[in-house]
Amino acid sequence: MLIKPLFFVPLQFETYYNSSYVMTEFEMIAKTFQGLEEILAKELIELGANEVAIGNRMVSFKGDKLLLYKANFHLRTAIRILKPFLHFKADSADEVYDICKKVNWENYMSLSNSFAVDAVVYSEDFKHSKFVAYRVKDAIADYFREKYGKRPNVSVTNPDLTFHIHISHDDCSLSLDSSGESLHKRGYRQEAMEAPLNEVLAAGMILLSGWDGQSDFTDPMCGSGTIPIEAALIAHNMAPGLFRSQYAFEKWKDFDKDMFESVYNDDSAERPFNFKIKGFDKDPKAIAVARRNARAAGLADEIEFEVRDFKDFEPIEERTVVITNPPYGERLNVDNLLELYSMMGERFKHALQGGEAWVISYKYECFDKIGLKPSAKIPLFNGALPCEVRKYEIFAGKYEKFRQDGEHLEKGDIPTRRSSTLRHKARLEEKKQMAEEGGANTESENRPNRPFRKSSERGNKPARPFRKSSDRTEKSSRPFRKDSENGGRAAKPFRKESSKDGRPARPFKKDSEKGGAKPFAKRTSAKGKPGTGRENRSFKKDFRNKDNRQ
């Protein structure tokens, strides 16, 4: 087999000289949720990352080992940080195996390390991502077996090292996962209620709103307290990685313990917070869980949790930002979901004047029930659900009067896109998956789209003008033929209610005259075969009756 040569992406190395270490810049990738890429890029720039570039659910950047540690420790909207170390081209899983087997794996791991391989594939040449992961795993295991007579162990649940292979068409990238467990697992969550909000998504919503801790903050449906706790971390500028027990890079061969301890112990950027953060929920169990989670984060005194129904939401005294994640009706069943959203709009209008509310939801009909005009619509994914975050600026009176007074809704620099973008992409992905499972596309999908041709583009053949019914002289509509014009054949006479032998037809009897309706019996045709159900005229009559349709 002809093996394509390996090639590495050339890095612009920049060396830093310090009394204790020398560092060089290298490529890194931060993964995130779709819709949070711009927020993540802004976070990376503030950390000092270079060559920041936004992609689909990821942001690439360059930095040194110190930045790698800071990214894992400080980024609020990153799911994991990858360090690519090999780029190559391949057209098959066997080719991936041959190339990966040539890597000097001693540079990254030893026989005592357990490992796992994760694969993400967007290519027609590679049908199964798991098979690609198996081939990379086999390449690593065979490399050590042939060289040392032993192979490292594979661990799916808790590996020392995780390698990621990403394939787009024939472009392949092999990376080391520096995070280990997803970075949304902050470490402070002791318990969770049903359908909890992801911490990365909660922090992303707060950063999207622009709230910087300079006003009060409220979540009227806080559940297990994720949004208020993330708001308190942002208000005090506390690193979200403070509560994690371990990162994957701590098991790397080049791990610098002193450098990471300097990052961990640096609290110079933390700041005081002089406003209030409140969390309400009508479920006492949810409030108890939220208080335990806040206590684990060291924020028990910073957040006021209270058992309160949203309908009892009291008017605010100071300017307040509300961010909440109400039920969607997908995983949490609510008796009157639309009434809940209608009540939310009423409470916002009467109790939040002068403030602003941010609501994430999945269904458009729920947003419509709020009854307020949003000033921003931001598509986001909550797990596999294509959702939308809407911003509502609350003012007194009606919107027309608000505009007549010269006021306008503040949109700022919020990244707004078509509200259907993510949902449209989700449909396309679903269709693509169904086509792959079905094995072939439909005939209409295979047909090329023919462009509309103008009359001038049809050559010498003139376009046919639109012809009215009155203009049809060549082919007139065929008139109704009388019996005398039926080729000499006499029309069949209308048969009255009588059988062929002349006996009168039996009159229709009501159930009351039959002594009660007969019990249901299996229908049979005239020949004794099972009937189709069409003989039941009452069924046909009921079915065609619009009032009986459901």
Side-chain angles (χ1 to χ4, degrees), residues 90-270:
D91 296 326
S92 66
D94 291 335
E95 200 169 357
V96 170
Y97 169 86
D98 292 331
I99 293 176
C100 290
K101 195 176 176 183
K102 293 180 178 293
V103 176
N104 294 325
W105 291 103
E106 297 97 331
N107 296 335
Y108 309 103
M109 61 182 297
S110 63
L111 281 167
S112 60
N113 293 130
S114 61
F115 74 98
V117 179
D118 186 25
V120 177
V121 177
Y122 300 99
S123 174
E124 296 180 355
D125 298 327
F126 300 87
K127 299 299 182 183
H128 302 285
S129 59
K130 288 186 178 181
F131 183 67
V132 175
Y134 290 151
R135 295 303 284 158
V136 176
K137 174 187 68 67
D138 292 341
I140 299 173
D142 293 345
Y143 173 87
F144 281 98
R145 185 187 291 110
E146 292 178 6
K147 196 167 185 178
Y148 300 101
K150 295 181 180 180
R151 52 162 290 176
N153 293 326
V154 176
S155 176
V156 180
T157 56
N158 188 27
D160 296 332
L161 300 171
T162 301
F163 297 98
H164 285 258
I165 181 166
H166 182 278
I167 300 178
S168 178
H169 303 293
D170 62 345
D171 295 325
C172 308
S173 300
L174 200 57
S175 308
L176 259 174
D177 181 6
S178 68
S179 305
E181 279 193 316
S182 173
L183 294 177
H184 85 273
K185 296 183 178 180
R186 311 291 203 211
Y188 61 73
R189 179 177 283 182
Q190 306 297 304
E191 297 180 58
M193 300 298 293
E194 188 178 358
L197 187 67
N198 185 290
E199 288 85 345
V200 167
L201 186 59
M205 290 174 58
I206 298 170
L207 295 176
L208 278 171
S209 73
W211 185 76
D212 55 359
Q214 299 304 310
S215 65
D216 290 347
F217 184 96
T218 300
D219 180 2
M221 289 180 280
C222 67
S224 56
T226 303
I227 292 179
I229 292 174
E230 291 293 325
L233 293 176
I234 292 173
H236 287 282
N237 203 27
M238 295 170 60
L242 275 171
F243 317 103
R244 279 178 67 105
S245 59
Q246 194 176 54
Y247 294 91
F249 61 73
E250 295 182 58
K251 296 183 180 180
W252 288 7
K253 300 185 73 172
D254 63 344
F255 173 59
D256 192 326
K257 184 178 179 180
D258 294 334
M259 183 187 296
F260 178 62
E261 285 185 354
S262 67
V263 173
Y264 185 88
N265 294 321
D266 183 11
D267 59 354
S268 59
E270 294 184 8

Side-chain angles (χ1 to χ4, degrees), residues 358-414:
W358 294 75
V359 180
I360 181 172
S361 189
Y362 170 64
K363 297 180 178 179
Y364 290 132
E365 54 267 29
C366 293
F367 281 124
D368 293 341
K369 280 295 182 178
I370 292 179
L372 302 176
K373 183 177 180 61
S375 58
K377 301 178 182 180
I378 307 172
L380 284 179
F381 263 101
N382 184 1
L385 297 177
C387 298
E388 193 173 88
V389 179
R390 294 193 180 186
K391 175 186 179 182
Y392 299 95
E393 293 184 55
I394 312 302
F395 49 86
K398 295 185 177 181
Y399 181 68
E400 290 77 8
K401 182 65 167 57
F402 179 74
R403 291 289 301 273
Q404 290 174 2
D405 294 341
E407 302 290 341
H408 62 278
L409 299 178
E410 293 290 342
K411 296 186 178 181
D413 298 329
I414 299 171

Side-chain angles (χ1 to χ4, degrees), residues 31-82:
K31 306 285 289 183
T32 187
F33 289 117
Q34 192 167 356
L36 295 179
E37 297 93 343
E38 295 181 19
I39 298 296
L40 177 57
K42 184 178 179 181
E43 284 192 277
L44 284 166
I45 293 173
E46 291 176 353
L47 278 182
N50 298 321
E51 300 185 35
V52 177
I54 296 176
N56 184 27
R57 293 181 294 183
M58 53 81 70
V59 178
S60 63
F61 62 102
K62 288 183 179 179
D64 52 27
K65 187 189 297 185
L66 179 61
L67 183 63
L68 175 71
Y69 296 165
K70 286 183 177 180
N72 278 281
F73 191 70
H74 286 284
L75 292 179
R76 304 182 190 278
T77 56
I79 297 174
R80 64 182 67 254
I81 309 298
L82 304 179

Side-chain angles (χ1 to χ4, degrees), residues 479-500:
F480 178 77
R481 290 190 298 180
K482 300 179 181 179
D483 293 342
S484 58
E485 301 173 350
N486 198 16
R489 290 178 297 176
K492 293 181 179 180
F494 177 75
R495 189 173 61 186
K496 297 181 180 180
E497 290 186 353
S498 61
S499 60
K500 294 182 179 180

Side-chain angles (χ1 to χ4, degrees), residues 292-307:
R292 283 194 289 271
N293 292 337
R295 191 178 304 112
L299 299 168
D301 297 333
E302 303 292 330
I303 307 173
E304 300 177 15
F305 288 110
E306 183 180 345
V307 178

